[in-house]
Amino acid sequence: SLYVANWHFIDSSRDYFASTVESSPFLHFWSLAIEEQFYVAFPVLLLLMWRLVQRRRGPLLAGLVGLAIAGVVAQIVIASDDPARAYLGTEARIYQLLLGGAVAVASVMADSRHSGGTAGTRTHDIVAALGVVALCLLAPTWLVVTPSHRGLLATLAAMAVVVSVAHGGPWTTRLAGHRVPAAIGRLSYGIYLWHWPLIIAMRDLWRLPSIVVAAATLGASVTLAGASYRLLERPVRRTPRLDRRPVLVTTAGVALSASMAFASMVVLERPWRPLVNTTTTNSAGITIDADDDVRLDVASIDW
């Protein structure tokens, strides 16, 4: 509710690459948390930098690239000591979002030098295709690279795709403007929210091949995302009655999120593994509760 899931998992010492991590249906919230933290902090940082460089785009671009390079260094240094934090930590992931901001500034600068913007060419189509192929190769695990290198390579590939789409190569424009990717884009947030809990549920309920789980998850995620978009997201975002009271609606939304977060703290503070309720009686007849000292590892029990 407060978009700090990544720090919660880091604080809980949850290893993202361990098999037991699949027990949490909320694990995928870590990336949404980093995204929201960026949305809150980056505008303030950008305004400060904009004023510091006296509204010059060149120094602004250099500043963003410099911060992104510092983020890459942080990713590499942290990964050598704490792989889980390097994967989940905001400071280790921020370079990816900063490079996106740098691409945006660079695109504005390029367009300003050419009246009407730069025209897309076949070269943009080729770059976009290479970027998509690189992302497809990096997504599965058959390419053996470290998580840090995989993240950096995926960022560069995504930047190539974004730049190519923004400049509109002939085939890229035709494909990106089709109604199918447009519909997927509208539902992408919901698809991401639904897919991980569905995977966990199917793995717990049935023994299915991975390809079947993937196909079933894709279909169910799209269906549920479409339903939540129509029944919840779109009414809340488009209702004129809510638009007339922006301050009240925003305040109520933040208050609701905070209330849900604090109410869930009781649940979150419970230990991941149940305690063994044992008591012992010493020679003086005093009963000693050993709850805090004895823990039972039930991860391997087939319930």
Side-chain angles (χ1 to χ4, degrees):
S1 297
L2 298 180
Y3 288 94
V4 291
N6 63 319
W7 296 111
H8 167 69
F9 286 115
I10 291 173
D11 185 61
S12 302
S13 298
R14 304 290 289 177
D15 184 356
Y16 193 84
F17 307 101
S19 59
T20 55
V21 81
E22 297 177 359
S23 62
S24 173
F26 308 115
L27 179 69
H28 61 317
F29 287 5
W30 71 268
S31 66
L32 303 180
I34 294 176
E35 195 175 331
E36 190 69 19
Q37 293 161 29
F38 177 79
Y39 292 154
V40 172
F42 184 67
V44 178
L45 173 65
L46 193 63
L47 288 173
L48 291 175
M49 292 178 63
W50 187 237
R51 178 167 295 184
L52 183 64
V53 300
Q54 299 178 353
R55 300 176 180 268
R56 291 176 296 170
R57 292 171 179 169
L60 177 64
L61 176 60
L64 291 175
V65 172
L67 290 174
I69 293 174
V72 173
V73 173
Q75 162 69 233
I76 296 173
V77 171
I78 295 173
S80 64
D81 180 62
D82 189 348
R85 178 157 188 164
Y87 199 96
L88 301 170
T90 305
E91 75 277 33
R93 286 286 188 171
I94 197 65
Y95 77 90
Q96 297 170 316
L97 297 166
L98 287 171
L99 286 175
V103 167
V105 174
S107 297
V108 171
M109 294 174 63
D111 291 341
S112 66
R113 295 192 182 100
H114 303 82
S115 59
T118 56
T121 63
R122 293 291 184 185
T123 303
H124 292 103
D125 289 336
I126 296 174
V127 172
L130 292 175
V132 170
V133 170
L135 288 172
C136 291
L137 292 175
L138 289 167
T141 56
W142 61 51
L143 186 62
V144 181
V145 293
T146 66
S148 295
H149 292 156
R150 190 186 302 273
L152 181 58
L153 292 174
T155 301
L156 297 176
M159 289 169 62
V161 174
V162 169
V163 170
S164 301
V165 171
H167 287 85
W171 281 100
T172 303
T173 301
R174 189 176 303 175
L175 292 174
H178 193 272
R179 64 176 181 270
V180 173
I184 294 174
R186 282 192 295 271
L187 300 179
S188 60
Y189 188 89
I191 293 172
Y192 183 79
L193 286 180
W194 282 108
H195 87 284
W196 185 249
L198 288 172
I199 289 176
I200 292 177
M202 279 189 275
R203 286 181 175 176
D204 286 346
L205 294 174
W206 304 291
R207 302 282 184 179
L208 299 173
S210 297
I211 187 65
V212 176
V213 173
T217 299
L218 178 61
S221 297
V222 172
T223 301
L224 291 171
S228 62
Y229 176 79
R230 292 286 183 179
L231 301 176
L232 178 63
E233 296 175 40
R234 190 172 180 179
V236 169
R237 293 167 59 186
R238 301 291 179 86
T239 301
R241 187 179 302 174
L242 298 180
D243 288 341
R244 290 194 292 267
R245 300 176 177 85
V247 176
L248 177 61
V249 171
T250 302
T251 303
V254 173
L256 178 62
S257 295
S259 299
M260 292 171 59
F262 289 116
S264 65
M265 282 184 179
V266 177
V267 178
L268 293 176
E269 287 178 353
R270 296 179 62 184
W272 288 96
R273 296 173 179 175
L275 298 178
V276 180
N277 293 320
T278 58
T279 57
T280 57
T281 304
N282 61 13
S283 58
I286 300 175
T287 301
I288 302 173
D289 191 347
D291 278 357
D292 294 333
D293 297 324
V294 182
R295 292 177 181 270
L296 174 64
D297 186 347
V298 298
S300 60
I301 297 178
D302 185 350
W303 292 99

